[in-house]
């Protein structure tokens, strides 16, 4: 059985040129272990890396996403209570609903507490207003509203609004918790000289410094396997999928099981959330988001370790902030790529729906897929607004063009919410104009964020659709 200390020693030889051939060609750095540098620490600990809380929250997110699709179409207090126990509770004994072992892809942990105890998502959710959701709610209020509705929706889908709560909850939580905490807290406020200084412990009784642990926590929120850089983008994607795509569960296990113990550790050996999406875009060869982000985290952690438990100098802090800025930029692009992708998916779904409607056919199957893709688009677009930066006019354009709900086949669309939390609908734009909005969303992602992977790129259709629909007089469509 390998351990991270042994492999790091090999990696050091590789980087020094002592090993050649296949191993050197595939070698990549691993996040940790890093030595204990805290002055005055006399404990037995040898490794200062710790981000179990963040990985527990990834597992809680995956479990909440799974539960969001368990509704039977009627009010279900038991399901709602269970969903809330994962989102807002800290109960002991919560089982891991997802990810779970799949055939040969054996997962080590079966309960959240085996990773970290007393963790939830609610306490870490974006506290600002979310203009992309009706009701002018905070991030936490939006998710609680979605959970309430999801618990009553059949398999998490409400055909009267077109809302797929499984996707809405998942994609927004990824931004409102993971992205927000990393870029607007741990790599922003906690990088200052006064907060969590490197010459003091993160908190009493812990063997890591303030800056070491702050940086580890940011890394954990990205959701990458510690050994992710030893794998290709496609291999990282297979790990996240548990071998459901091109690899068998047996082959995926070999990729994930870095320490060779025959099972996958959800703390150190799994890819989640935005790390998964980064690998999905990178496997096409146009981008390197996963590699650039994880390498940035490794470089930053080595810089902190090099301070040897002393306060960071101004030069060191400036370098760390520059690394953090690069990570944030690439992370933001991963989310923008997702907005781009699902705007294209929605466009293609609307093309199919339009054809079926004109032929007076059955739209049920395509409409359900449309709801799923719209939920992903909407969730990612709200997530993009939950970061450190105020997106200003870009956010206004996204929110107006996407709307509060998908344009339904009868031409209606959610436009507001009443005092009871029920949605209000009114007539929306025409289908052609809404399709044009999707292409303009793609154009916006290219112009404002420089996305390059561009999955489901439908921009070649924009000129013809503008001519067909007309430019209209909506400023947000520019």
């Amino acid at each position: 059985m390998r351990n991270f200390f042994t492999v790091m020693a090999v990696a050091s030889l590789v980087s020094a040129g002592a090993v050649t051939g296949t191993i050197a060609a595939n070698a990549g750095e691993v996040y940790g272990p890093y030595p204990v540098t805290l002055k005055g620490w006399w404990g037995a600990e040898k490794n200062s890396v710790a981000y179990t809380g963040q990985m527990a929250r990834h597992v809680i997110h995956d479990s909440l996403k799974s539960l969001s699709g368990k509704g039977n179409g009627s009010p279900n207090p038991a399901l709602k209570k269970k969903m809330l126990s994962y989102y807002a509770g800290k109960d002991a004994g919560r089982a891991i609903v997802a990810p779970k072992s799949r055939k040969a892809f054996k997962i080590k942990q079966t309960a959240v507490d085996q990773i970290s105890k007393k963790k939830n998502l609610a306490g870490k959710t974006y506290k600002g207003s979310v203009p992309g959701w009706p009701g002018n709610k905070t991030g936490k209020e939006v998710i609680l509203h979605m959970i309430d509705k999801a618990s009553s929706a059949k398999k998490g889908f409400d055909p009267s609004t077109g809302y797929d709560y499984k996707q809405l909850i998942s994609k927004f939580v990824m931004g409102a918790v993971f992205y927000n905490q990393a870029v607007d807290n741990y790599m922003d406020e906690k990088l200052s000289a006064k907060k969590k200084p490197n010459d003091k412990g993160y908190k009493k009784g812990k063997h890591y410094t303030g800056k070491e642990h702050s940086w580890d926590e940011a890394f954990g929120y990205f959701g990458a396997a510690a050994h992710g850089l030893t794998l290709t983008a496609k291999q990282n994607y297979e790990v996240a999928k548990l071998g459901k795509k091109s690899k068998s569960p047996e082959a995926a296990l070999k990729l994930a099981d870095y320490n060779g113990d025959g099972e996958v550790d959800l703390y150190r050996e799994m890819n989640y959330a935005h790390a998964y999406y980064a690998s999905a875009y990178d496997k096409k060869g146009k981008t390197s988001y996963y590699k650039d982000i994880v390498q940035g985290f490794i470089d930053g952690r080595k810089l902190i370790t090099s301070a040897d438990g002393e306060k960071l100098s101004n030069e060191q802090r400036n370098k760390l902030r520059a690394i953090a800025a690069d990570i944030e930029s690439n992370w933001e692009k991963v989310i923008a790529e997702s907005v781009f992708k699902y705007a294209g998916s929605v466009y293609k779904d609307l093309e199919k729906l339009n054809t079926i409607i004109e032929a007076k056919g059955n739209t049920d199957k395509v409409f359900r897929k449309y709801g799923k893709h719209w939920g992903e688009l909407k969730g990612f677009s709200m997530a993009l607004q939950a970061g450190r930066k105020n997106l200003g006019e870009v956010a206004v354009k996204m929110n107006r063009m996407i709307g509060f709900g998908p344009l339904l086949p009868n031409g209606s669309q959610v436009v507001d919410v009443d005092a009871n939390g029920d949605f209000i609908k009114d007539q929306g734009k025409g289908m052609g104009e809404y399709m044009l909005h999707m292409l303009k969303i793609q154009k916006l992602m290219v112009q404002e964020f420089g996305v390059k992977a561009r999955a489901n790129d439908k921009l070649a259709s924009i000129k013809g659709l503008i001519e067909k629909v007309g430019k209209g007089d909506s400023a947000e469509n520019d």
Side-chain angles (χ1 to χ4, degrees):
M1 184 188 300
R2 295 181 295 177
N3 60 49
F4 285 97
F5 291 101
T6 302
V7 177
M8 280 297 288
V10 173
S12 298
L13 289 173
V14 171
S15 62
V19 180
T20 59
T22 304
I23 295 177
N26 295 331
E29 291 188 82
V30 178
Y31 193 90
Y34 298 109
V36 174
T37 66
L38 181 62
K39 303 300 183 186
W41 183 261
W42 299 103
E45 290 83 2
K46 301 296 183 184
N47 179 17
S48 62
V49 174
Y51 51 93
T52 54
Q54 287 60 47
M55 306 322 265
R57 291 187 180 94
H58 280 293
V59 168
I60 291 171
H61 158 262
D62 284 7
S63 296
L64 178 61
K65 179 183 178 183
S66 179
L67 292 170
S68 299
K70 302 293 186 183
N72 59 17
S74 299
N76 192 333
L79 176 60
K80 181 179 177 180
K81 182 180 179 180
K82 189 170 185 178
M83 292 174 71
L84 288 173
S85 76
Y86 283 81
Y87 176 65
K90 295 184 178 181
D91 308 342
R94 287 174 294 176
I96 294 174
V97 182
K100 282 189 168 185
S101 297
R102 177 177 178 265
K103 298 179 181 179
F105 196 93
K106 184 181 178 182
I107 289 174
K108 179 179 180 179
Q109 297 92 343
T110 57
V112 176
D113 292 352
Q114 291 174 289
I115 305 172
S116 187
K117 296 178 180 178
K118 297 183 179 181
K119 297 299 185 291
N120 69 17
L121 299 169
K124 301 294 183 178
T125 302
Y126 173 63
K127 294 175 174 60
S129 176
V130 183
W133 190 255
N136 193 34
K137 301 176 184 296
T138 64
K140 180 179 176 180
E141 290 169 343
V142 168
I143 295 167
L144 290 173
H145 190 201
M146 290 178 176
I147 287 173
D148 178 56
K149 296 297 184 182
S151 66
S152 299
K154 188 173 183 179
K155 296 184 178 180
F157 181 64
D158 180 3
S160 71
T161 58
Y163 285 158
D164 183 327
Y165 289 105
K166 187 174 181 179
Q167 299 303 330
L168 285 165
I169 290 171
S170 171
K171 275 48 181 184
F172 183 52
V173 164
M174 284 164 53
V177 178
F178 308 149
Y179 177 58
N180 173 264
Q181 282 293 311
V183 305
D184 198 29
N185 183 14
Y186 294 108
M187 294 195 298
D188 184 28
E189 296 168 9
K190 286 191 171 70
L191 289 192
S192 68
K194 293 182 179 180
K195 287 200 173 184
K196 301 298 180 184
N198 197 56
D199 64 338
K200 294 181 180 179
Y202 188 84
K203 62 182 180 180
K204 187 176 180 179
K206 297 299 181 181
H207 61 284
Y208 34 72
T209 72
K211 285 293 181 283
E212 287 171 347
H213 193 53
S214 295
W215 195 258
D216 288 347
E217 289 180 296
F219 172 72
Y221 277 125
F222 180 59
H227 68 292
L229 292 192
T230 70
L231 305 175
T232 67
K234 189 173 182 179
Q235 288 172 333
N236 275 306
Y237 178 78
E238 291 296 342
V239 168
K241 285 293 189 181
L242 285 66
K244 292 179 181 177
K245 293 297 180 180
S246 63
K247 296 289 184 185
S248 66
E250 292 82 0
L253 173 64
K254 290 180 181 179
L255 298 173
D257 182 20
Y258 188 69
N259 67 359
D261 65 356
E263 53 189 5
V264 180
D265 182 356
L266 294 180
Y267 169 38
R268 296 279 288 173
E269 297 176 334
M270 177 56 73
N271 286 311
Y272 306 89
H274 294 127
Y276 155 68
Y277 279 94
S279 67
Y281 300 129
D282 293 347
K283 65 188 177 71
K284 298 294 184 181
K286 296 180 181 179
T287 57
S288 55
Y289 298 129
Y290 187 107
K291 177 180 178 295
D292 294 343
I293 291 170
V294 174
Q295 188 64 60
F297 275 118
I298 289 173
D299 291 345
R301 189 54 162 86
K302 289 194 295 186
L303 188 156
I304 295 169
T305 302
S306 72
D308 197 26
E310 302 291 346
K311 287 183 179 180
L312 297 184
S313 67
N314 288 335
E315 181 182 5
Q316 288 171 322
R317 185 173 294 103
N318 289 338
K319 286 182 180 178
L320 196 60
R321 284 198 175 279
I323 293 170
D326 284 342
I327 291 170
E328 179 182 5
S329 176
N330 280 297
W331 198 333
E332 182 182 60
K333 283 182 171 66
V334 170
I335 303 175
E337 291 277 13
S338 302
V339 173
F340 184 99
K341 174 184 177 179
Y342 290 109
S345 297
V346 167
Y347 178 88
K348 291 193 290 186
D349 292 335
L350 289 170
E351 280 186 314
K352 293 175 184 176
L353 275 174
N354 199 34
T355 299
I356 295 171
I357 290 170
E358 288 180 353
K360 295 181 169 51
N362 188 319
T363 61
D364 291 353
K365 187 175 180 180
V366 174
F367 178 64
R368 180 65 187 89
K369 188 174 290 187
Y370 168 48
K372 176 183 182 294
H373 291 150
W374 188 91
E376 290 171 299
L377 168 65
K378 185 63 175 177
F380 276 123
S381 71
M382 293 193 300
L384 192 58
Q385 299 170 59
R388 182 182 60 85
K389 297 185 290 185
N390 183 343
L391 297 186
E393 185 182 9
V394 173
V396 172
K397 288 182 176 182
M398 275 198 301
N399 294 333
R400 290 184 179 179
M401 287 193 284
I402 296 170
F404 285 144
L407 183 70
L408 302 175
N410 65 5
S412 67
Q413 190 175 26
V414 171
V415 295
D416 207 346
V417 65
D418 65 21
N420 296 319
D422 295 323
F423 297 107
I424 301 169
K425 291 186 290 186
D426 202 349
Q427 283 302 111
K429 306 286 186 182
M431 187 174 286
E433 188 171 353
Y434 196 60
M435 290 172 70
L436 182 58
H437 284 184
M438 297 302 105
L439 300 186
K440 289 185 174 180
I441 288 289
Q442 288 199 325
K443 184 178 179 182
L444 188 67
M445 295 303 103
V446 174
Q447 292 176 332
E448 297 296 332
F449 302 101
V451 297
K452 295 179 180 178
R454 302 186 192 179
N456 288 334
D457 189 348
K458 302 300 293 183
L459 283 173
S461 304
I462 194 167
K463 183 177 179 181
L465 192 56
I466 288 174
E467 292 173 354
K468 182 178 179 181
V469 175
K471 291 184 179 179
D473 58 357
S474 299
E476 70 270 18
N477 291 349
D478 292 344

